[in-house]
Amino acid sequence: MNRNIHQLEAIANELRCLALRAIYLAGSGHPGGSLSAAEIVTALYFSVLNIDPACPDWPERDRVVLSKGHGCPILYAALAKRGYFPLEELWTLRKLGSRLQGHPDMRKTPGIDATTGSLGQGISVAVGMALGGKFQGKSYRVYAIMGCGEQQEGQVWEAAMSAAHYCLDNLVGIVDYNTLQIDGCNAEIMEIAPLSDKWRAFGWHVLEVNGHDIAQLLDAFAEAKNTRGKPTAIIARTIKGKGVSFMENQVKWHSSILTKEHFEQAMTELGCDGYFAAACKETSHV
Amino acid sequence: MSEKIPNNRVAYGKALVSVGETRPNVVVLEADLGKGTQTVLFRERFPERYFPVGIAEGNMMGVAAGLATTGLVPFASTFCVFASMRAVEQFRNSIAYPRLNVKVVATNAGIEIGPDGATHQAIEDIAIMRAIPNVTVLVPSDPVMTMKLIPMVADSMGPVYVRIGRQDTPYLYDESTLHLEFGKAVLAREGYDVTIIAIGNMVCRSLAAAEILEREGISARVLDMFSIKPLDSDAIVQAARETGCIVTAEDHNILGGLGGAVAEVLSAELPVPLVRVGVQDTFAESGDGEAVLRAYGLTAERIAEAARIAMARRDGLRRT
């Protein structure tokens, strides 16, 4: 897809609005980690991935595993925007009978490649997908988006070791390094730094980028594609709650309820005031 | 089968090879216990389809899940203790919940493994695995059954947990007459006074118990409940109706395993006296396998005694 950086930035902004509205209407969810991953998800779904929304199970498609499954609102927004399902379905997030579960469910949601939510597990599933691709001579690539708190799970490092062992250069691990987790900042809960050194020591090609800079992300994905013999880890420096002033770098917005006031201010800051105006009136009682 | 297969582990390894011959999409994962689980036989024959993950059972479950999403049929093996407890949350969330086509075949079940001691004696795995939705739980009792079961497992859809013992075991069945179907118990011996429902290494001991009872003029039915889930409720209810009392026998905690499953059916459908032979909610200890089984009451004699107790309770109820 040939979109310029400005178009991609606009899409990232739109995904933020969609994700926040879904969380607002759901009455629960994880805004902070959805907003921090907006550019990563945008770069993948609107530029990098070889996918066909009309055929979500296409065997040759690139795969995305949202290992930090709680960030799924931003992923659902991207899938809806790409046409996997109607935009209106976003407003059913976390509600009974919805195809959009609180954490990604590959059996319910078109376009979701792996069921995730229990931290540390998605990266292992991504390793299996990449290994299966290599074994069957397929050329698809696998992208696993991890959280920074998730790096504390031992399974991440079991998976990292195995990906390097099997020389999975069709696998890219992205760490949404926003430095915050539920109970506080990484450094006070359990330090994960020096993160790049860790991934390098586990045999991965490591790139550090500003995770809100689409151009840097696209360059990193391109470099990963040209890297042979080892998987690539992209350590994406991000800001939790990015784009909404009162959420940025605030631990409490890992998972917090948005009031109508919060939501409206966020929309104003994101320049999406008019975007949902009509629909918001209808559903403001929610 | 021309050559005698000593135990269910070797039967698994051999069955895996034969499954591999005709099914190119079968791959095997192993967490550094290939010699114990006998998946080494597959490694020798199909090295390109054998993926060791090292001593990392949680990752093994996730990698198996990922492989399954690509259309492959992964068999993931380790010891029961690690498959059902070390990696159970990975199994639940990455495999069972999304109904992925992963076959976990775990060996070294129960206290019969002996000398390695309680850390390696899985007595909870059936209870744990059968509580997880979407999972088929199977416990073959002899090499003939294991050889027959593994191809069925390979051809089934969805997550399966197969529990296999370590020790040598006698042949109980004839290959040509053994008919297996998930959810259908195998009638190992017909009888009318009491029913012994058994799994795994306790089936041969239950058959021995039936012979002890026969000498006393008691006719004992033996059901091999190899399919723990789906469970053959019909066979259990029929046994309750026809023999009026039941004994269960398992190398597993009496809580939540076969005894628990049978108790659930009986209490809901047709309550009759039930005596559960198994590990009595305690950790066992090191020792020769047979000695450990004896010390913890997993013997033919104990099963026969349980049958007498069950019959006495039944007859007491009938008198009152």
Short mmCIF file of all heavy atoms in Angstrom, two decimals, chain B residues 40 55 204 240 257 287 301:
data_model
loop_
_atom_site.label_atom_id
_atom_site.label_comp_id
_atom_site.label_asym_id
_atom_site.label_seq_id
_atom_site.Cartn_x
_atom_site.Cartn_y
_atom_site.Cartn_z
N VAL B 40 12.02 -40.13 20.65
CA VAL B 40 13.31 -40.29 19.93
C VAL B 40 13.14 -41.19 18.71
O VAL B 40 13.87 -41.05 17.73
CB VAL B 40 14.42 -40.87 20.82
CG1 VAL B 40 14.99 -39.81 21.73
CG2 VAL B 40 13.95 -42.07 21.58
N ILE B 55 14.45 -27.36 27.61
CA ILE B 55 13.70 -27.56 28.85
C ILE B 55 12.85 -26.32 29.10
O ILE B 55 13.21 -25.44 29.88
CB ILE B 55 14.67 -27.86 30.01
CG1 ILE B 55 15.58 -29.03 29.62
CG2 ILE B 55 13.89 -28.19 31.29
CD1 ILE B 55 16.76 -29.25 30.53
N CYS B 204 -5.01 -53.92 34.24
CA CYS B 204 -4.53 -55.30 34.39
C CYS B 204 -4.69 -55.76 35.85
O CYS B 204 -5.00 -56.92 36.12
CB CYS B 204 -3.11 -55.46 33.90
SG CYS B 204 -1.88 -54.56 34.84
N ALA B 240 -24.12 -49.46 36.93
CA ALA B 240 -24.79 -49.19 38.21
C ALA B 240 -26.11 -49.95 38.28
O ALA B 240 -26.46 -50.53 39.30
CB ALA B 240 -25.02 -47.68 38.37
N GLY B 257 -10.17 -37.35 39.52
CA GLY B 257 -9.75 -38.16 38.38
C GLY B 257 -10.86 -39.08 37.93
O GLY B 257 -12.03 -38.67 37.84
N GLY B 287 10.81 -45.25 45.63
CA GLY B 287 10.83 -46.69 45.88
C GLY B 287 10.66 -47.40 44.56
O GLY B 287 10.28 -46.78 43.55
N GLU B 301 -5.28 -57.01 45.05
CA GLU B 301 -5.90 -57.41 46.32
C GLU B 301 -6.76 -56.29 46.89
O GLU B 301 -7.88 -56.51 47.39
CB GLU B 301 -4.82 -57.81 47.35
CG GLU B 301 -4.05 -59.08 47.00
CD GLU B 301 -3.08 -58.92 45.86
OE1 GLU B 301 -2.69 -57.76 45.56
OE2 GLU B 301 -2.73 -59.93 45.21
#
